[in-house]
């Protein structure tokens, strides 16, 4: 049975953050979640995460995931290092299992590579296989030292390397596959006799090698997969690569992205075929977008569900539902719990909040629809305000099917406009409007003849 041990106890000092490093997000998803998901996708169903610094927060953030947490004790009285981290899960290591070691701070590693690492490990009958890559600038990484025949000999940390070793460009990714029995055996032999005074997992390799066990390296071509995040600069770099991957995935599935370098789609977003996305779109969280939509420039959609054939321009949509063939924007704002039926128009500078709107209704310009249930075929004129707040509490407004709300009216909630009700422009409505009737609630116009002449303006 394959298992993984994911190392995530380090402090991440260089992030200069109050948040544990592995919880920092890349394209909307915590780094560690990529590792867990990809490990599972590679067929590893037992995943142990070693936590330490900020461990409780990591545990809370992953309470919904099927993983087991192991606490690495942290403090001056305890050893430190990747070897000590792996030891925290030693009781779970079965003799005959393949144990994959992953790092919580290398979010770009793919399930395909993890799978290939395990396959190479099995095929070569290794006891340890290291995932390696060539880097133009290997500074900071452990170097892969090979003998004259090119066989893996040992891994030397940057801080422990001599000048010759520092010139080696093949580096240790920090990802390995071990045979359970031999990993446990060698873990008991590592010591902290090195520049950092830490227990290094990398020493397991040289110990096994010296004792005649077969060890090997699996070299990946795409070195970006093993990039680690130790700083905010590296976080942004990994975000860029992940963004390119996500955008490519959608394009390969039939979505047109006009400018993939200026389109920000988070990891969990789903998009249907023939949808076109313009620059500056930011699609976040658990958002779903249907087929044949146009997501126009500078549109932010978060945790929302958008139907088919919807067009949205320069607008913001949060935690809302939009059904087929709606037209939104430019400059509209759907705040949480807005539910739009089909074929609705929400136009310039219209804000909707915690409201439902029925099919074929329109609010084309400058309106606020808050805490309302609006029926079908309703016209909300320019400048209409649903006055939902009395300074203490919010109240609801009901506008039934086929009603017409004239421009610049106020509907003072709680209030109802019944079917086919017609509110005259400029009215302030405080009482129910009867079915099929006209409500006028404004001062009558008076014309004072000759007033201007008399004033001598
Ligand atoms: C490690 C490798 C190095 C490799 C590099 C790849 C060792 C000794 N070195 O170095 O060869 O090139 O990764 O990125 O293994 N962690 C714990 N507990 C600890 C220490 C670390 O859980 O006591 C975790 C960290 O949270 C991190 C991972 O292990 O996720 C790697 O630790 P880090 O200190 O970043 O190792 P590197 O110096 O990068
Ligand atoms: Ca690291």
């Amino acid at each position: 049975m394959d298992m993984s041990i994911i190392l995530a106890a380090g402090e991440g000092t260089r992030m200069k953050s109050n948040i544990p490093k592995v919880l920092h997000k890349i394209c909307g998803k915590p780094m560690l979640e990529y590792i867990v998901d990809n490990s599972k996708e590679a067929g590893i169903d037992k995943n142990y995460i070693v936590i330490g610094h900020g461990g409780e927060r990591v545990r809370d953030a992953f309470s919904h995931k099927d993983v087991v947490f192991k606490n690495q004790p942290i403090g001056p009285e305890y050893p430190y290092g990747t070897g000590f981290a792996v030891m925290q899960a030693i009781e779970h290591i079965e003799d005959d299992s393949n144990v994959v070691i992953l790092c919580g701070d290398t979010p770009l590693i793919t399930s395909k590579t993890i799978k290939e690492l395990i396959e190479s490990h099995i095929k070569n009958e290794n006891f340890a296989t290291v995932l390696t890559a060539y880097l133009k600038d290997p500074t900071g990484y452990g170097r892969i030292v090979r003998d004259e025949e090119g066989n893996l000999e040992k891994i030397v940390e940057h801080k422990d390397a001599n000048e010759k070793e520092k010139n080696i460009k093949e580096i240790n990714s920090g990802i390995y596959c071990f045979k359970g029995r031999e990993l446990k055996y060698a873990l008991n032999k590592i010591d902290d006799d090195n520049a950092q005074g830490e227990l290094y997992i990398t020493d397991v390799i040289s110990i096994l090698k010296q004792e005649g066990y077969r060890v090997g390296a699996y070299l990946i071509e795409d070195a970006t997969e093993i990039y680690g995040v130790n700083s905010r600069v590296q976080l942004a770099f990994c975000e860029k690569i992940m963004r390119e991957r996500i955008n490519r995935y959608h394009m390969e599935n039939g979505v047109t992205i006009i400018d993939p370098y200026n389109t920000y789609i988070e990891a969990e977003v789903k998009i249907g075929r023939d949808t076109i996305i313009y620059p500056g779109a930011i699609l976040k969280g658990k958002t779903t977008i249907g087929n044949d939509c146009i997501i126009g420039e500078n549109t932010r959609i978060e945790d929302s569900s958008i139907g088919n054939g919807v067009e949205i321009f320069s607008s913001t949509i949060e935690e809302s539902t939009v059904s087929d063939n709606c037209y939104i924007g430019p400059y509209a704002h759907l705040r949480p719990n807005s539910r739009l039926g089909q074929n609705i128009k929400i136009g310039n500078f219209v804000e909707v909040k915690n409201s439902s709107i029925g099919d074929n209704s329109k609010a084309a310009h400058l309106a606020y629809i808050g805490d309302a249930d609006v029926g079908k075929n309703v016209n909300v004129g320019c400048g209409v305000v649903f006055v939902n707040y009395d300074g203490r509490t919010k109240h609801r407004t009901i506008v039934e099917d086929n009603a017409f709300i004239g421009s610049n009216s106020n509907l003072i909630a709680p209030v109802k406009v019944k079917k086919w009700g017609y509110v005259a422009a400029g009215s302030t409505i405080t009482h129910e409007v009867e079915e099929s009737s006209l409500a006028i609630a404004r001062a009558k116009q008076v014309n004072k003849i000759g007033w201007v002449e008399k004033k001598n303006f």
Side-chain angles (χ1 to χ4, degrees):
M1 193 57 141
D2 295 347
M3 65 176 276
S4 86
I5 302 172
I6 302 170
L7 312 186
E11 194 173 2
T13 329
R14 284 166 285 175
M15 294 297 282
K16 307 219 164 103
S17 175
N18 296 327
I19 303 164
K21 176 161 82 175
V22 295
L23 293 187
H24 279 265
K25 289 179 177 174
I26 289 186
C27 296
K29 182 166 149 177
M31 270 192 253
L32 180 59
E33 201 168 332
Y34 286 99
I35 323 278
V36 172
D37 290 351
N38 285 333
S39 173
K40 288 187 177 181
E41 214 174 292
I44 303 172
D45 41 29
K46 282 191 182 160
N47 295 281
Y48 298 88
I49 303 179
V50 181
I51 48 174
H53 285 284
E56 278 315 304
R57 289 182 72 169
V58 179
R59 204 187 273 268
D60 288 350
F62 281 76
S63 55
H64 61 295
K65 290 265 173 188
D66 178 25
V67 289
V68 178
F69 287 98
K70 303 303 295 182
N71 275 316
Q72 175 183 336
I74 304 265
E77 67 273 41
Y78 297 107
Y80 191 75
T82 47
F84 186 59
V86 174
M87 283 177 194
Q88 308 311 311
I90 205 161
E91 62 187 296
H92 303 285
I93 300 176
E94 288 169 27
D95 285 352
D96 293 318
S97 64
N98 296 312
V99 184
V100 176
I101 309 294
L102 297 161
C103 286
D105 63 353
T106 50
L108 298 174
I109 190 80
T110 61
S111 60
K112 183 168 165 274
T113 298
I114 298 173
K115 231 188 228 162
E116 286 168 0
L117 171 70
I118 301 170
E119 279 161 14
S120 157
H121 178 77
I122 294 170
K123 202 180 85 202
N124 293 303
E125 297 178 358
N126 288 342
F127 293 92
T129 309
V130 191
L131 186 70
T132 70
Y134 277 98
L135 289 186
K136 272 201 207 104
D137 177 12
T139 311
Y141 287 91
R143 307 297 206 283
I144 300 297
V145 180
R146 292 177 182 266
D147 64 18
E148 275 138 31
E149 277 115 61
N151 294 316
L152 172 64
E153 204 170 85
K154 61 176 176 176
I155 299 170
V156 181
E157 287 308 293
H158 183 91
K159 287 181 180 151
D160 298 300
N162 59 36
E163 283 314 306
K164 193 168 159 235
E165 288 162 341
K166 280 200 175 111
N167 284 327
I168 299 173
K169 304 267 191 247
E170 189 183 6
I171 60 98
N172 169 24
S173 67
I175 295 167
Y176 325 79
C177 186
F178 293 104
K179 261 251 118 28
R181 188 185 299 104
E182 287 69 24
L183 171 60
K184 284 189 281 187
Y185 168 76
L187 267 179
N188 286 318
K189 297 194 152 199
I190 59 177
D191 60 36
D192 63 1
D193 183 14
N194 53 54
Q196 304 186 88
E198 293 181 5
L199 294 172
Y200 290 167
I201 185 65
T202 45
D203 285 352
V204 165
I205 306 284
S206 47
I207 290 168
L208 290 179
K209 171 83 181 185
Q210 277 162 20
E211 300 202 11
Y213 293 98
R214 192 201 308 273
V215 299
Y218 180 68
L219 176 72
I220 46 166
E221 264 169 45
D222 179 8
T224 57
E225 276 200 36
I226 55 90
Y227 282 179
V229 175
N230 296 313
S231 68
R232 308 266 181 166
V233 173
Q234 289 170 329
L235 182 72
F237 186 78
C238 287
E239 168 106 13
K240 177 172 172 282
I241 293 170
M242 190 64 80
R243 181 158 64 239
E244 284 170 13
R245 272 192 205 167
I246 291 171
N247 289 355
R248 172 177 289 272
Y249 165 84
H250 290 295
M251 291 188 278
E252 284 171 355
N253 281 286
V255 177
T256 294
I257 299 180
I258 304 285
D259 180 0
Y261 304 102
N262 285 296
T263 303
Y264 306 83
I265 304 174
E266 289 190 352
E268 314 251 297
V269 174
K270 295 187 172 65
I271 309 171
R273 273 184 179 218
D274 290 317
T275 284
I276 303 173
I277 302 178
Y278 282 80
I282 303 178
L283 309 178
K284 294 170 71 82
K286 293 196 187 308
T287 288
T288 314
I289 294 170
N291 302 326
D292 304 306
C293 293
I294 296 177
I295 307 300
E297 68 289 345
N298 304 326
T299 289
R300 179 164 69 89
I301 306 178
E302 194 164 341
D303 294 318
S304 293
S305 160
I306 311 294
N308 300 319
V310 175
E311 299 185 16
I312 305 170
F313 301 94
S314 299
S315 292
T316 298
I317 300 183
E318 303 161 290
E319 295 168 46
S320 289
T321 309
V322 176
S323 307
D324 298 349
N325 303 317
C326 288
Y327 186 102
I328 296 171
Y331 315 113
H333 187 182
L334 302 191
R335 289 170 52 206
N337 201 26
S338 296
R339 287 153 285 137
L340 270 51
Q342 297 188 16
N343 200 30
I344 287 172
K345 178 164 186 191
I346 300 293
N348 316 260
F349 306 105
V350 174
E351 176 177 335
V352 182
K353 185 213 84 176
N354 189 27
S355 294
S356 64
I357 302 181
D359 298 350
N360 308 313
S361 290
K362 285 190 179 66
H365 344 257
L366 298 157
Y368 174 59
I369 302 175
D371 299 305
D373 295 299
V374 176
K376 296 176 181 167
N377 307 311
V378 169
N379 187 83
V380 175
C382 178
V384 169
V385 175
F386 284 54
V387 183
N388 60 331
Y389 188 49
D390 60 12
R392 289 223 175 93
T393 358
K394 304 274 164 67
H395 302 279
R396 289 196 82 79
T397 298
I398 296 170
V399 177
E400 293 185 349
D401 296 351
N402 302 300
F404 181 97
I405 315 297
S407 292
N408 210 31
S409 295
N410 301 307
L411 304 179
I412 313 273
V415 74
K416 187 191 261 187
V417 179
K418 296 182 106 175
K419 272 187 240 166
W420 295 99
Y422 201 106
V423 172
S427 295
T428 292
I429 299 297
T430 51
H431 296 103
E432 183 166 299
V433 176
E434 293 299 330
E435 203 172 309
S436 301
S437 58
L438 169 69
I440 308 179
R442 63 188 185 219
K444 262 214 170 106
Q445 182 172 335
V446 177
N447 285 344
K448 299 198 170 176
I449 309 294
W451 183 88
V452 176
E453 279 171 358
K454 263 188 247 161
K455 264 276 179 192
N456 251 338
F457 277 136

